[in-house]
Amino acid sequence: LLSLPWAVAPSLAHGLLFAGGFMPAFIAGFLFTAGPRWLQLPEVAAPTLRPPVAALVAGWALALAGFHASATLAGVGVALAGGGWAAAMRRFHRLLRASPATDRLHPALVSASGTVGIAAFAGAAGGLAFGEWTAVRAATVLALWGFLAPTFATASHRLIPFFGASALPALDAGRPNALLWAMLGALWLQGGMALAGLLVAGPWPAAARMAQAGIEGLAAAGLLALAWRWGLVQSLRLRLLAMLHAGFVWLGLAFALAAASHAWMAASADRSSLGLAPLHALTMGYLGATLVAMVTRVTAGHSGRPLAVDGVAWALYWTLQAAVVLRVAAALGVAGGAWATLVAAWLWAAAAIGWAWRYGGWLGRPRIDGRPG
């Protein structure tokens, strides 16, 4: 019905927008609500965050127009958004330095990941401005594996056992830091290999691919075992916990799909793979489902409402899960894959719009319980 010109390849624009568009805004919101509590500091006044958030929004509005009209304009927009993100992280760095908390590992790791995000924004802006498409791809990879995924993994390591133990007293809430470093190491290794794949032309040696598949298989087994340890089955009785746990399971499935894909590539001299299935299991499955679970909890809690998931929110969450399954299935080459991708896009849009309709009216208003905030 509507055919638009493209100044930037659609795949590049899609990856960059989903990696740097709405995710940093969500992370900023989470950091300045949960972050002060982690750091044992007073709450941050919301008006002080308006300039960086406005820069993020304005920057991506310019970038969206630039994707269709001018790559240079897109670069300016991404640079403006990156400036907004840098300002937000500068504010968080100050909180981290001022914190009296003895355990600041999780905030410090989130801060480090956010700094990688600044570098990713800068690389993407420069690549767009000068037409260096490999640089844009590299910046997107850096944003995903060096910024977003480590941030979410760090938050999962801190929050899932904590929420589970508070709701299910029998749950073992152990979360040794070795688990966190193992998760982050696996993610950083994936990112490094992805960046190397952009720079190394031709097929990789079969032994290197098999080694990669072996590492990913071990990571998948460890992550799925960790999900079970953290109370996957028990959490199904509580919707909010189930949302967090189901999202975390997608992280393990993403590594399992990546292991299978790279083993197939090793056996076929890089001619066959599972395509984008592992990537969408990570991005739509783990990042998307975890985002919805976390933002639903934060929105309810900070508006003074019960921390419960009603039927509308539950339906929206499983609408998103259906979108993930369809998109992964399409990437795996099931019959009617093009239609599955289209339906997945519509379901994802329905979940996002439905969430905004259900919860958007709660934002920016006084708490209903009369407490400050």
Side-chain angles (χ1 to χ4, degrees):
L1 297 177
L2 181 63
S3 179
L4 295 174
W6 287 92
V8 178
S11 60
L12 278 181
H14 171 78
L16 187 58
L17 178 62
F18 271 66
F22 58 92
M23 284 291 190
F26 159 70
I27 293 172
F30 182 81
L31 282 184
F32 291 102
T33 50
R37 296 184 179 184
W38 290 2
L39 295 170
Q40 299 176 13
L41 292 172
E43 293 186 359
V44 174
T48 65
L49 301 174
R50 287 173 184 163
V53 172
L56 275 169
V57 174
W60 280 110
L62 280 178
L64 279 172
F67 289 153
H68 298 285
S70 164
T72 301
L73 178 62
V76 171
V78 172
L80 178 59
W85 175 249
M89 287 310 303
R90 183 171 178 269
R91 179 70 184 280
F92 190 72
H93 294 335
R94 291 205 302 267
L95 293 180
L96 187 62
R97 290 195 300 270
S99 171
T102 56
D103 180 6
R104 292 179 290 174
L105 176 62
H106 293 84
L109 287 171
V110 171
S111 178
S113 298
T115 302
V116 174
I118 296 172
F121 271 110
L128 288 167
F130 294 101
E132 295 291 340
W133 309 126
T134 300
V136 178
R137 289 188 177 90
T140 303
V141 168
L142 185 64
L144 175 59
W145 295 104
F147 169 34
L148 298 181
T151 297
F152 274 69
T154 302
S156 294
H157 180 264
R158 183 176 180 106
L159 296 177
I160 293 178
F162 174 78
F163 290 158
S166 61
L168 302 168
L171 174 65
D172 173 12
R175 54 175 189 209
N177 290 336
L179 295 175
L180 174 58
W181 289 114
M183 282 194 290
L184 294 177
L187 293 170
W188 293 335
L189 182 61
Q190 286 292 86
M193 291 178 174
L195 287 172
L198 291 175
L199 303 176
V200 178
W204 283 29
R209 283 294 187 206
M210 284 305 298
Q212 183 179 10
I215 294 170
E216 290 162 343
L218 289 174
L223 288 164
L224 293 172
L226 184 59
W228 186 270
R229 171 181 169 80
W230 279 348
L232 173 62
V233 175
Q234 301 97 313
S235 74
L236 297 179
R237 291 185 286 135
L238 301 169
R239 288 177 173 179
L240 193 58
L241 273 178
M243 290 165 71
L244 280 171
H245 279 85
F248 190 77
V249 167
W250 275 113
L251 180 58
L253 293 178
F255 272 97
L257 288 168
S261 183
H262 289 126
W264 194 8
M265 292 175 74
S268 64
D270 280 9
R271 288 189 296 270
S272 300
S273 72
L274 298 184
L276 296 175
L279 180 65
H280 284 95
L282 173 76
T283 53
M284 293 179 69
Y286 174 51
L287 301 183
T290 303
L291 184 153
V292 170
M294 292 172 67
V295 76
T296 299
R297 186 189 190 283
V298 169
T299 303
H302 284 267
S303 64
R305 291 172 169 82
L307 299 179
V309 176
D310 61 15
V312 174
W314 193 237
L316 291 171
Y317 179 80
W318 288 106
T319 299
L320 181 143
Q321 290 284 358
V324 181
V325 171
L326 282 173
R327 185 62 187 91
V328 171
L332 292 174
V334 298
W339 279 104
T341 300
L342 181 61
V343 174
W346 279 109
L347 288 175
W348 181 276
I353 294 169
W355 193 96
W357 169 78
R358 175 68 177 83
Y359 291 94
W362 297 1
L363 304 176
R365 295 184 177 182
R367 294 171 60 108
I368 65 170
D369 60 3
R371 293 176 55 192

